[in-house]
């Protein structure tokens, strides 16, 4: 044993000791865990040492976090202008149409916070898909009823904000409605769309939808989603206020009144009324067989023209046949779509305006085809009393009869548009005022041109229509469309078609150009009157002219 201990105390030689053996006195490190994720590269950052990049990666968890390179000394310019952002208060003193139109014409960054939302059944917030669906259904009824694109967007925007969806952007075209809602700045947007496949003329339904939107927008009323859906379903199920026979009789009254308006007598009134009623029944027959609207207008234009040609063989006075055919054209010219199309173009909705005007063009071409077929047949049969040189129009010899005829025309037009019965009287008076203004300007010593006189009269119609609609918190279309009936270019259209049937292209094109100019004057006058009414009414943000955007852009560049 003593010899063995002495042998161990001897120093070992260099050959017996390994170079990798840990020297005595050094604390051994614990073995590293066997983990594949452990970094073993010689470029790894030692434990306990944090670099600036790693610290930035830990703090910058959002795209909206201030970058680590940001300094207050080199900060970018703020988005808020030096004069501040104008404050727009949405009070209850003005209709919701003006409130929402102000919001739509305002940049997104300057829109005020939404009003307190309607109460929900629970605290989970609004049901976004159901609110968007309700909004699209309301917009569909308004667009199908002929409402302008800007007013449809305003209604959709009002419904969304009333139910607490403030970050909504509605978009309206001729046949498609879409709306997008973004819950927050970091959440994905929710988008829904709906297609308008059928259009109908029922201003009673249009007014009911406006009343529904007005109730939803009222902060003093609590309209739940279920209640709004129930009322919307009731609006869809409601029948038209006037039966079919009343519409046919209104067509006859409209055509007869228009024939008296251009110089016809009692016989002309009866013949024009019968021709218009036959045309209306023929159009209903075509619609029942599923024919497109173009062929319905072709069929509706043929009986009045046929009655006029037949009357030309019986009476030698040329103005009688011309008055009959002109009265039939008054009942067919699509004034409603024309006004809506031009209004959309003036407010910046060019795609919808182009589609509406294209629809008007197709309908007018259908009328032209129907009338030209009959007039060409009359020319072939030597109907010598059909002369494009015949002149008639406003005469100072019987102003009372013409004023009554213009009011009867507006009355019949209101029935055809299925308006509410309590609005018919105001529309009738508005049409009479329009004709009085037109006659006064056309027969004064100034001898204002018919196109200019029509524009002024249409502007007066638009002004009164907007005032009536603001008083009733409803759409302005029921108070405007029927009142412009006496101003429609029926005589210029007829004489242009007659000249084309007799191969007189120059005279025909001149008359048709005058008709187009008159139609555009009506549409522009109505829109201008509406804008003038908003200048004199209380509008949100009117204290500063910069707050009210007239359109999406004010210059062409």
């Amino acid at each position: 044993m003593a010899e063995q201990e002495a042998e161990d105390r001897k120093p070992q030689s260099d050959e017996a000791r390994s170079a990798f053996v840990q020297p005595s006195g050094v604390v051994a490190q614990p073995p590293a865990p066997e983990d594949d994720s452990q970094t073993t590269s010689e470029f790894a950052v030692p434990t306990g040492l944090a670099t600036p990049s790693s610290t930035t990666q830990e703090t910058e968890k959002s795209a909206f976090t201030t970058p680590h390179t940001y300094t207050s000394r080199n900060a970018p310019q703020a988005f808020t202008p030096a004069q501040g952002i104008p404050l727009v208060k949405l009070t209850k003193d003005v209709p919701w149409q003006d409130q929402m139109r102000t919001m739509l014409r305002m940049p997104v960054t300057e829109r005020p916070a939404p009003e307190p939302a309607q109460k929900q059944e629970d605290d989970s917030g609004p049901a976004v898909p159901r609110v968007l669906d309700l909004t699209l259904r309301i917009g569909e009824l308004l667009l199908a009823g002929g409402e302008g694109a800007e007013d449809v967007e305003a209604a959709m925007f009002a419904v969304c904000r009333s139910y607490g969806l403030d970050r909504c952007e509605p978009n309206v075209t001729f046949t498609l409605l879409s709306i997008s809602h973004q819950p927050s700045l970091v959440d994905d947007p929710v988008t829904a769309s709906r297609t308008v496949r059928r259009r109908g003329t029922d201003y009673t339904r249009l007014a009911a939808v406006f009343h529904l939107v007005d109730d939803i927008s009222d902060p003093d009323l609590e309209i739940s989603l279920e209640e709004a859906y129930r009322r919307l379903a009731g609006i869809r199920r409601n029948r038209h206020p006037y039966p079919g026979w009343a519409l046919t009789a209104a067509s006859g009254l409209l055509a007869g009144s228009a024939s008296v308006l251009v110089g016809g007598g009692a016989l002309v009134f009866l013949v024009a009324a019968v021709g218009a009623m036959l045309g209306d029944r023929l159009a209903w027959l075509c619609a029942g067989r599923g024919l497109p609207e173009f062929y319905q207008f072709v069929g509706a234009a043929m009986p009045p023209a046929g009655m006029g040609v037949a009357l030309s063989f019986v009476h030698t006075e040329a103005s009688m046949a011309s008055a009959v055919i002109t009265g039939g054209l008054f009942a067919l010219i699509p004034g409603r779509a024309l006004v809506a199309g031009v209004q959309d173009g003036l407010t910046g909705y060019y795609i919808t305006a182009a589609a509406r005007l294209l629809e008007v063009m197709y309908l007018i071409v259908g009328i032209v085809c129907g009338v030209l077929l009959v007039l060409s047949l009359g020319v072939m049969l030597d109907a010598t009393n059909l002369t494009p040189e015949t002149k008639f129009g406003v005469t100072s010899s019987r102003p009372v009869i013409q004023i009554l005829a213009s009011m009867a025309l507006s009355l019949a037009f209101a029935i055809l548009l299925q308006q509410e019965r309590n609005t018919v009287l105001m529309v009738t008076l508005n049409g009479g005022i329009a004709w009085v203004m037109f006659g006064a300007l056309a027969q004064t010593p100034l001898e204002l041109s018919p196109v200019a006189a029509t524009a002024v009269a249409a502007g007066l119609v638009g002004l009164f229509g907007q005032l009536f609609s603001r008083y009733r918190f409803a759409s302005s279309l029921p108070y405007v469309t029927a009142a412009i009936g006496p101003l429609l270019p029926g005589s210029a259209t007829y004489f242009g078609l007659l000249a084309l049937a007799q191969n007189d292209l120059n005279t025909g094109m001149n008359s048709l150009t005058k008709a187009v100019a008159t139609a555009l004057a009506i549409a522009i006058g109505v829109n201008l009157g509406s804008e003038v009414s908003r200048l004199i009414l209380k509008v949100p943000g009117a204290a500063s002219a910069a707050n009210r955007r007239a359109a999406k852009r004010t210059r062409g560049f």
Side-chain angles (χ1 to χ4, degrees):
M1 278 305 285
E3 295 178 358
Q4 182 66 31
E5 293 178 357
E7 185 69 24
D8 293 338
R9 287 195 297 269
K10 285 184 180 180
Q12 297 180 354
S13 62
D14 294 339
E15 291 80 3
R17 185 174 59 249
S18 174
F20 298 98
V21 176
Q22 185 173 357
S24 60
V26 179
V27 180
Q29 297 292 332
E34 296 180 359
D35 190 0
D36 296 338
S37 62
Q38 180 68 24
T39 304
T40 58
S41 173
E42 60 183 358
F43 299 101
V45 180
T47 305
L49 180 61
T51 61
S53 59
S54 61
T55 305
T56 303
Q57 292 176 359
E58 293 179 0
T59 57
E60 287 188 11
K61 297 181 179 179
S62 173
F64 302 95
T65 305
T66 304
H68 70 279
T69 56
Y70 173 84
T71 59
S72 59
R73 184 184 301 273
N74 299 325
Q77 295 182 357
F79 292 101
T80 305
Q83 66 274 13
I85 297 177
L87 176 62
V88 179
K89 295 183 179 180
L90 302 180
T91 63
K92 296 186 295 183
D93 298 334
V94 294
W96 63 266
Q97 299 99 309
D98 291 332
Q99 296 180 14
M100 295 302 107
R101 186 178 290 107
T102 303
M103 295 288 293
L104 288 175
R105 293 180 177 182
M106 185 184 303
V108 179
T109 56
E110 299 181 11
R111 291 177 181 173
E115 302 290 339
Q118 300 278 355
K119 292 183 179 180
Q120 307 296 325
E121 297 180 355
D122 50 17
D123 297 334
S124 60
V128 176
R130 296 195 65 194
V131 173
L132 296 184
D133 180 71
L134 175 66
T135 303
L136 290 174
R137 291 178 183 273
I138 290 177
E140 178 190 10
L141 285 181
L142 293 177
L143 187 62
E147 191 61 68
E150 187 178 31
D151 290 332
V152 175
E153 284 194 1
M156 297 172 64
F157 199 73
V159 174
C160 287
R161 286 180 64 88
S162 299
Y163 286 109
L165 305 185
D166 57 320
R167 298 185 183 91
C168 286
E169 287 297 330
N171 187 20
V172 176
T173 58
F174 185 59
T175 58
L176 181 65
L177 299 97
S178 62
I179 187 168
S180 178
H181 167 65
Q182 189 172 10
S184 65
L185 295 177
V186 295
D187 293 333
D188 295 332
V190 180
T191 304
S193 61
R194 194 173 182 88
T195 303
V196 179
R197 302 192 181 277
R198 290 194 61 185
R199 300 178 181 274
T201 304
D202 190 345
Y203 282 178
T204 300
R205 180 179 298 175
L206 189 69
V209 176
F210 262 75
H211 288 312
L212 174 60
V213 177
D214 183 50
D215 291 342
I216 293 176
S217 305
D218 192 349
D220 296 334
L221 297 177
E222 297 295 338
I223 307 295
S224 63
L225 284 174
E226 287 71 18
E227 176 67 16
Y229 268 108
R230 187 189 64 80
R231 291 180 56 178
L232 189 64
I235 292 173
R236 288 180 176 273
R237 289 194 301 265
N238 282 344
R239 294 184 176 180
H240 299 303
Y242 305 102
W245 63 266
L247 299 180
T248 302
S251 299
L253 178 61
L254 194 155
S257 301
S259 63
V260 173
L261 202 63
V262 296
L267 179 61
V268 172
F269 178 90
L270 293 176
V271 175
V274 172
M277 288 189 290
L278 291 176
D280 181 75
R281 288 293 91 189
L282 184 58
W284 277 101
L285 180 62
C286 295
R289 294 295 183 271
L291 292 178
E293 196 172 11
F294 175 84
Y295 300 103
Q296 297 177 26
F297 272 79
V298 173
M302 295 178 67
M307 297 294 290
V309 172
L311 188 62
S312 66
F313 289 103
V314 179
H315 290 272
T316 58
E317 189 176 352
S319 61
M320 297 183 66
S322 300
V324 170
I325 301 176
T326 300
L329 290 177
F330 266 89
L332 296 176
I333 294 177
R336 172 182 59 87
L338 176 65
V339 172
V342 175
Q343 181 180 359
D344 288 340
L346 294 177
T347 52
Y349 295 85
Y350 302 111
I351 297 178
T352 307
R356 288 186 189 271
L357 294 179
L358 185 62
E359 179 190 28
V360 171
M361 185 190 72
Y362 272 103
L363 298 182
I364 291 179
V365 169
I367 299 172
V368 168
C369 292
V371 175
L372 277 181
L373 288 174
V374 178
L375 289 181
S376 300
L377 181 61
V379 172
M380 294 173 57
L381 297 176
D382 296 331
T384 57
N385 291 334
L386 297 176
T387 58
E389 290 81 11
T390 306
K391 299 297 180 182
F392 54 76
V394 181
T395 59
S396 58
S397 59
R398 49 176 195 173
V400 177
I401 295 178
Q402 288 190 336
I403 293 175
L404 293 177
S406 65
M407 296 176 66
L409 192 152
S410 299
L411 172 64
F413 209 165
I415 295 175
L416 289 175
L417 293 176
Q418 300 282 0
Q419 292 190 197
E420 293 179 298
R421 298 180 180 180
N422 56 1
T423 64
V424 172
L425 179 59
M426 288 185 288
V427 171
T428 303
L429 295 177
N430 201 11
I433 293 173
W435 183 258
V436 169
M437 177 61 67
F438 173 79
L441 295 177
Q443 295 297 318
T444 55
L446 297 177
E447 294 184 356
L448 197 64
S449 66
V451 176
T454 301
V456 176
L460 194 63
V461 169
L463 176 62
F464 287 157
Q466 285 292 333
L467 294 178
F468 286 147
S469 66
R470 292 305 182 267
Y471 175 73
R472 299 290 299 272
F473 285 81
S475 173
S476 62
L477 284 181
Y479 303 95
V480 171
T481 307
I484 65 173
L487 305 177
L488 293 176
S491 59
T493 304
Y494 161 69
F495 288 127
L497 298 180
L498 180 59
L500 292 179
Q502 296 178 350
N503 294 324
D504 190 354
L505 297 181
N506 293 331
T507 304
M509 293 306 298
N510 290 336
S511 297
L512 292 179
T513 302
K514 180 181 177 181
V516 172
T518 304
L520 292 178
I522 292 173
I524 295 175
V526 168
N527 182 264
L528 183 60
S530 301
E531 294 297 329
V532 170
S533 68
R534 295 191 183 103
L535 293 178
I536 63 178
L537 292 174
K538 184 178 181 180
V539 177
S544 175
N547 295 346
R548 182 177 182 273
R549 268 68 175 179
K552 293 177 176 57
R553 61 179 184 180
T554 55
R555 295 178 179 84
F557 53 82

